[in-house]
Amino acid sequence: MAARILLLLLISLICSVAFASDHSPLQDFCVADLDSPVLVNGFVCKDPKLVKAEDFHIGGLHSRGDTSNPSGSFANRITVNRVPGLNTLGISVARADFAPLGINPPHYHPRASEILTVLEGTLIAGFVTSNPENRLIMKVLNKGDLFVFPAGLIHFQRNIGPGYAYSISALSSQDPGVVTIANAVFGSKPDISIQVY
């Protein structure tokens, strides 16, 4: 009996190790066919013979985004929808621009962790841990500083410096998604019933 239990534990350990990592790609790349009518979790692959350099490239990240809006910020998200070569790679990038006192309001990415690097200015950045603790973890970030936001946690950034600020973020998904908390709660369609507040 003890030998059977030991064998079962050994098999369980081997199986947990075998399935504890990301899948290995079956090909060099899988450029997204954004025009395909086939619906899968992600995008189907374009014929590799039709792939070109433009599928892996986008320009313009050096350009400042339009921050003349109520939040005083702009996020230029580069996902698989804009760079088809990101398909199946599990990565994306975003540039965030901040006017003085501009804010990227509390939001979360349901499918990605984020690593943010400040390239200009001074930001305050933070996230809130999950229930029941709901602890705020926050830091002032200067040019060259980096901050990590774990997947699925509400986080934010605000420009607290006297001038313009911007950052670049890498995210651990080709399509991380974004849910802005206030928009989700107070802008849902249909409205969330007053009885649940």
Side-chain angles (χ1 to χ4, degrees), residues 104-142:
N104 189 0
H107 64 282
Y108 69 93
H109 305 287
R111 296 177 293 278
S113 295
E114 177 179 353
I115 186 167
L116 174 142
T117 303
V118 177
L119 298 178
E120 191 64 49
T122 303
L123 301 176
I124 189 161
F127 63 88
V128 179
T129 64
S130 57
N131 296 340
E133 191 175 34
N134 296 322
R135 189 163 62 103
L136 175 63
I137 296 177
M138 189 167 61
K139 180 94 174 129
V140 172
L141 307 174
N142 295 298

Short mmCIF file of all heavy atoms in Angstrom, two decimals, residues 104-142:
data_model
loop_
_atom_site.label_atom_id
_atom_site.label_comp_id
_atom_site.label_asym_id
_atom_site.label_seq_id
_atom_site.Cartn_x
_atom_site.Cartn_y
_atom_site.Cartn_z
N ASN A 104 -3.26 58.22 -15.00
CA ASN A 104 -3.77 57.01 -15.62
C ASN A 104 -4.60 56.38 -14.51
O ASN A 104 -4.06 55.79 -13.58
CB ASN A 104 -2.63 56.08 -16.08
CG ASN A 104 -3.13 54.93 -16.90
OD1 ASN A 104 -4.32 54.77 -17.16
ND2 ASN A 104 -2.19 54.09 -17.32
N PRO A 105 -5.93 56.57 -14.54
CA PRO A 105 -6.77 56.24 -13.39
C PRO A 105 -6.74 54.75 -13.03
O PRO A 105 -6.31 53.92 -13.85
CB PRO A 105 -8.16 56.68 -13.82
CG PRO A 105 -8.14 56.78 -15.29
CD PRO A 105 -6.71 57.03 -15.69
N PRO A 106 -7.20 54.42 -11.83
CA PRO A 106 -7.18 53.02 -11.39
C PRO A 106 -7.81 52.09 -12.43
O PRO A 106 -8.93 52.31 -12.89
CB PRO A 106 -8.00 53.06 -10.09
CG PRO A 106 -7.74 54.44 -9.55
CD PRO A 106 -7.72 55.31 -10.77
N HIS A 107 -7.04 51.06 -12.77
CA HIS A 107 -7.45 50.09 -13.79
C HIS A 107 -6.70 48.79 -13.52
O HIS A 107 -5.83 48.73 -12.66
CB HIS A 107 -7.11 50.62 -15.19
CG HIS A 107 -5.66 50.79 -15.44
ND1 HIS A 107 -4.93 51.86 -14.96
CD2 HIS A 107 -4.76 50.01 -16.11
CE1 HIS A 107 -3.67 51.75 -15.33
NE2 HIS A 107 -3.54 50.63 -16.03
N TYR A 108 -7.05 47.76 -14.25
CA TYR A 108 -6.28 46.52 -14.20
C TYR A 108 -6.27 45.85 -15.56
O TYR A 108 -7.07 46.17 -16.43
CB TYR A 108 -6.80 45.57 -13.11
CG TYR A 108 -8.16 44.95 -13.39
CD1 TYR A 108 -8.26 43.70 -14.02
CD2 TYR A 108 -9.33 45.59 -13.02
CE1 TYR A 108 -9.50 43.13 -14.28
CE2 TYR A 108 -10.57 45.02 -13.26
CZ TYR A 108 -10.65 43.79 -13.89
OH TYR A 108 -11.86 43.23 -14.14
N HIS A 109 -5.32 44.95 -15.73
CA HIS A 109 -5.19 44.17 -16.95
C HIS A 109 -5.56 42.73 -16.59
O HIS A 109 -4.82 42.08 -15.85
CB HIS A 109 -3.77 44.25 -17.51
CG HIS A 109 -3.33 45.65 -17.73
ND1 HIS A 109 -3.81 46.43 -18.77
CD2 HIS A 109 -2.48 46.45 -17.03
CE1 HIS A 109 -3.26 47.62 -18.70
NE2 HIS A 109 -2.45 47.66 -17.66
N PRO A 110 -6.68 42.22 -17.10
CA PRO A 110 -7.11 40.88 -16.69
C PRO A 110 -6.20 39.76 -17.17
O PRO A 110 -6.23 38.67 -16.60
CB PRO A 110 -8.51 40.76 -17.32
CG PRO A 110 -8.57 41.77 -18.38
CD PRO A 110 -7.62 42.87 -18.00
N ARG A 111 -5.37 40.02 -18.16
CA ARG A 111 -4.56 38.95 -18.73
C ARG A 111 -3.06 39.22 -18.68
O ARG A 111 -2.29 38.55 -19.37
CB ARG A 111 -4.98 38.69 -20.19
CG ARG A 111 -6.41 38.19 -20.33
CD ARG A 111 -6.83 38.02 -21.78
NE ARG A 111 -6.95 39.26 -22.53
CZ ARG A 111 -8.02 40.07 -22.50
NH1 ARG A 111 -9.05 39.78 -21.73
NH2 ARG A 111 -8.05 41.17 -23.22
N ALA A 112 -2.59 40.16 -17.87
CA ALA A 112 -1.16 40.47 -17.93
C ALA A 112 -0.63 41.15 -16.68
O ALA A 112 -1.32 41.92 -16.03
CB ALA A 112 -0.88 41.38 -19.14
N SER A 113 0.64 40.87 -16.40
CA SER A 113 1.43 41.68 -15.48
C SER A 113 2.04 42.80 -16.32
O SER A 113 2.11 42.71 -17.55
CB SER A 113 2.55 40.85 -14.86
OG SER A 113 2.02 39.84 -14.04
N GLU A 114 2.48 43.86 -15.65
CA GLU A 114 3.04 45.01 -16.35
C GLU A 114 4.32 45.44 -15.66
O GLU A 114 4.40 45.45 -14.43
CB GLU A 114 2.03 46.16 -16.34
CG GLU A 114 2.50 47.44 -16.97
CD GLU A 114 1.44 48.54 -16.94
OE1 GLU A 114 0.29 48.27 -16.55
OE2 GLU A 114 1.77 49.68 -17.32
N ILE A 115 5.32 45.83 -16.45
CA ILE A 115 6.55 46.39 -15.92
C ILE A 115 6.73 47.76 -16.59
O ILE A 115 6.78 47.85 -17.81
CB ILE A 115 7.74 45.45 -16.13
CG1 ILE A 115 8.99 45.97 -15.46
CG2 ILE A 115 7.98 45.14 -17.59
CD1 ILE A 115 10.10 44.95 -15.36
N LEU A 116 6.73 48.81 -15.79
CA LEU A 116 6.73 50.19 -16.28
C LEU A 116 8.08 50.83 -16.00
O LEU A 116 8.63 50.67 -14.90
CB LEU A 116 5.62 50.97 -15.57
CG LEU A 116 5.52 52.47 -15.82
CD1 LEU A 116 4.06 52.88 -15.88
CD2 LEU A 116 6.24 53.28 -14.75
N THR A 117 8.61 51.56 -16.98
CA THR A 117 9.85 52.32 -16.82
C THR A 117 9.56 53.78 -17.14
O THR A 117 9.03 54.10 -18.20
CB THR A 117 10.95 51.81 -17.77
OG1 THR A 117 11.16 50.42 -17.51
CG2 THR A 117 12.26 52.55 -17.54
N VAL A 118 9.91 54.68 -16.22
CA VAL A 118 9.73 56.11 -16.44
C VAL A 118 10.89 56.61 -17.30
O VAL A 118 12.06 56.41 -16.97
CB VAL A 118 9.69 56.88 -15.10
CG1 VAL A 118 9.58 58.38 -15.34
CG2 VAL A 118 8.55 56.39 -14.23
N LEU A 119 10.55 57.25 -18.42
CA LEU A 119 11.57 57.78 -19.32
C LEU A 119 11.74 59.29 -19.20
O LEU A 119 12.77 59.83 -19.61
CB LEU A 119 11.25 57.41 -20.77
CG LEU A 119 11.23 55.90 -21.04
CD1 LEU A 119 10.86 55.62 -22.48
CD2 LEU A 119 12.58 55.27 -20.71
N GLU A 120 10.74 59.95 -18.64
CA GLU A 120 10.83 61.41 -18.43
C GLU A 120 9.84 61.78 -17.34
O GLU A 120 8.72 61.28 -17.30
CB GLU A 120 10.48 62.14 -19.73
CG GLU A 120 10.78 63.63 -19.70
CD GLU A 120 12.27 63.92 -19.57
OE1 GLU A 120 13.08 63.34 -20.31
OE2 GLU A 120 12.64 64.74 -18.69
N GLY A 121 10.26 62.68 -16.43
CA GLY A 121 9.37 63.19 -15.41
C GLY A 121 9.36 62.37 -14.13
O GLY A 121 10.22 61.52 -13.91
N THR A 122 8.37 62.66 -13.30
CA THR A 122 8.22 62.00 -12.01
C THR A 122 6.77 61.53 -11.87
O THR A 122 5.84 62.34 -11.96
CB THR A 122 8.56 62.96 -10.85
OG1 THR A 122 9.90 63.44 -11.03
CG2 THR A 122 8.44 62.27 -9.50
N LEU A 123 6.60 60.25 -11.64
CA LEU A 123 5.27 59.66 -11.46
C LEU A 123 5.16 59.08 -10.06
O LEU A 123 6.15 58.64 -9.48
CB LEU A 123 5.03 58.51 -12.45
CG LEU A 123 5.10 58.81 -13.94
CD1 LEU A 123 4.92 57.53 -14.74
CD2 LEU A 123 4.03 59.83 -14.33
N ILE A 124 3.94 59.06 -9.54
CA ILE A 124 3.65 58.23 -8.38
C ILE A 124 2.85 57.07 -8.94
O ILE A 124 1.94 57.26 -9.75
CB ILE A 124 2.91 59.00 -7.26
CG1 ILE A 124 2.85 58.14 -6.01
CG2 ILE A 124 1.54 59.47 -7.70
CD1 ILE A 124 2.57 58.92 -4.74
N ALA A 125 3.23 55.87 -8.57
CA ALA A 125 2.59 54.67 -9.10
C ALA A 125 2.30 53.72 -7.96
O ALA A 125 3.05 53.68 -6.97
CB ALA A 125 3.49 54.00 -10.13
N GLY A 126 1.22 52.97 -8.11
CA GLY A 126 0.90 52.02 -7.06
C GLY A 126 -0.13 51.03 -7.49
O GLY A 126 -0.74 51.15 -8.55
N PHE A 127 -0.31 50.02 -6.63
CA PHE A 127 -1.35 49.03 -6.84
C PHE A 127 -1.94 48.63 -5.50
O PHE A 127 -1.37 48.91 -4.44
CB PHE A 127 -0.83 47.80 -7.61
CG PHE A 127 0.25 47.01 -6.92
CD1 PHE A 127 -0.07 45.98 -6.04
CD2 PHE A 127 1.59 47.26 -7.18
CE1 PHE A 127 0.92 45.24 -5.41
CE2 PHE A 127 2.59 46.53 -6.57
CZ PHE A 127 2.26 45.51 -5.68
N VAL A 128 -3.11 47.99 -5.56
CA VAL A 128 -3.81 47.56 -4.37
C VAL A 128 -3.86 46.04 -4.38
O VAL A 128 -4.24 45.43 -5.38
CB VAL A 128 -5.25 48.13 -4.32
CG1 VAL A 128 -5.99 47.66 -3.09
CG2 VAL A 128 -5.21 49.66 -4.38
N THR A 129 -3.46 45.43 -3.27
CA THR A 129 -3.50 43.97 -3.18
C THR A 129 -4.95 43.49 -3.11
O THR A 129 -5.87 44.28 -2.87
CB THR A 129 -2.72 43.46 -1.95
OG1 THR A 129 -3.35 43.94 -0.75
CG2 THR A 129 -1.26 43.91 -1.98
N SER A 130 -5.15 42.21 -3.29
CA SER A 130 -6.50 41.65 -3.32
C SER A 130 -7.12 41.55 -1.93
O SER A 130 -6.44 41.73 -0.92
CB SER A 130 -6.48 40.28 -4.00
OG SER A 130 -5.59 39.41 -3.34
N ASN A 131 -8.42 41.27 -1.90
CA ASN A 131 -9.17 41.10 -0.66
C ASN A 131 -8.57 39.96 0.17
O ASN A 131 -8.06 39.02 -0.41
CB ASN A 131 -10.64 40.75 -0.96
CG ASN A 131 -11.36 41.87 -1.68
OD1 ASN A 131 -10.94 43.00 -1.64
ND2 ASN A 131 -12.44 41.54 -2.33
N PRO A 132 -8.63 39.99 1.46
CA PRO A 132 -9.28 40.99 2.29
C PRO A 132 -8.35 42.13 2.69
O PRO A 132 -8.80 43.12 3.25
CB PRO A 132 -9.70 40.19 3.52
CG PRO A 132 -8.61 39.17 3.68
CD PRO A 132 -8.21 38.82 2.26
N GLU A 133 -7.05 42.04 2.40
CA GLU A 133 -6.11 43.05 2.88
C GLU A 133 -6.27 44.39 2.17
O GLU A 133 -6.23 45.43 2.81
CB GLU A 133 -4.68 42.53 2.73
CG GLU A 133 -3.67 43.39 3.45
CD GLU A 133 -2.28 42.80 3.40
OE1 GLU A 133 -1.91 42.16 2.40
OE2 GLU A 133 -1.54 43.00 4.38
N ASN A 134 -6.40 44.39 0.84
CA ASN A 134 -6.55 45.63 0.07
C ASN A 134 -5.49 46.67 0.44
O ASN A 134 -5.79 47.85 0.62
CB ASN A 134 -7.95 46.23 0.24
CG ASN A 134 -9.01 45.32 -0.31
OD1 ASN A 134 -8.82 44.69 -1.34
ND2 ASN A 134 -10.12 45.23 0.37
N ARG A 135 -4.25 46.23 0.52
CA ARG A 135 -3.16 47.11 0.93
C ARG A 135 -2.63 47.89 -0.27
O ARG A 135 -2.40 47.34 -1.33
CB ARG A 135 -2.03 46.28 1.54
CG ARG A 135 -0.95 47.11 2.18
CD ARG A 135 -0.09 46.29 3.11
NE ARG A 135 0.61 45.23 2.44
CZ ARG A 135 1.91 45.28 2.13
NH1 ARG A 135 2.63 46.32 2.44
NH2 ARG A 135 2.48 44.26 1.52
N LEU A 136 -2.42 49.18 -0.08
CA LEU A 136 -1.86 50.04 -1.12
C LEU A 136 -0.34 49.97 -1.08
O LEU A 136 0.28 50.20 -0.05
CB LEU A 136 -2.32 51.50 -0.91
CG LEU A 136 -1.71 52.53 -1.85
CD1 LEU A 136 -2.11 52.24 -3.30
CD2 LEU A 136 -2.15 53.94 -1.44
N ILE A 137 0.25 49.63 -2.22
CA ILE A 137 1.70 49.61 -2.36
C ILE A 137 2.03 50.67 -3.41
O ILE A 137 1.59 50.57 -4.56
CB ILE A 137 2.18 48.21 -2.79
CG1 ILE A 137 1.85 47.22 -1.67
CG2 ILE A 137 3.67 48.23 -3.12
CD1 ILE A 137 2.18 45.79 -1.96
N MET A 138 2.76 51.72 -2.99
CA MET A 138 2.92 52.91 -3.83
C MET A 138 4.35 53.43 -3.72
O MET A 138 4.98 53.31 -2.68
CB MET A 138 1.92 53.96 -3.35
CG MET A 138 1.79 55.16 -4.21
SD MET A 138 0.33 56.17 -3.76
CE MET A 138 0.69 56.62 -2.08
N LYS A 139 4.83 54.04 -4.82
CA LYS A 139 6.21 54.54 -4.85
C LYS A 139 6.29 55.73 -5.79
O LYS A 139 5.64 55.77 -6.83
CB LYS A 139 7.12 53.42 -5.36
CG LYS A 139 8.56 53.75 -5.47
CD LYS A 139 9.31 53.36 -4.24
CE LYS A 139 10.81 53.58 -4.42
NZ LYS A 139 11.39 54.33 -3.36
N VAL A 140 7.12 56.72 -5.43
CA VAL A 140 7.45 57.82 -6.34
C VAL A 140 8.55 57.32 -7.27
O VAL A 140 9.56 56.76 -6.82
CB VAL A 140 7.92 59.06 -5.55
CG1 VAL A 140 8.44 60.13 -6.50
CG2 VAL A 140 6.78 59.61 -4.70
N LEU A 141 8.32 57.51 -8.57
CA LEU A 141 9.25 57.03 -9.59
C LEU A 141 9.84 58.21 -10.36
O LEU A 141 9.10 59.07 -10.83
CB LEU A 141 8.53 56.11 -10.58
CG LEU A 141 7.76 54.93 -9.99
CD1 LEU A 141 6.99 54.21 -11.07
CD2 LEU A 141 8.71 53.98 -9.28
N ASN A 142 11.14 58.21 -10.51
CA ASN A 142 11.83 59.24 -11.28
C ASN A 142 12.35 58.64 -12.58
O ASN A 142 12.31 57.42 -12.78
CB ASN A 142 12.98 59.81 -10.46
CG ASN A 142 12.47 60.55 -9.24
OD1 ASN A 142 11.75 61.53 -9.36
ND2 ASN A 142 12.83 60.05 -8.06
#
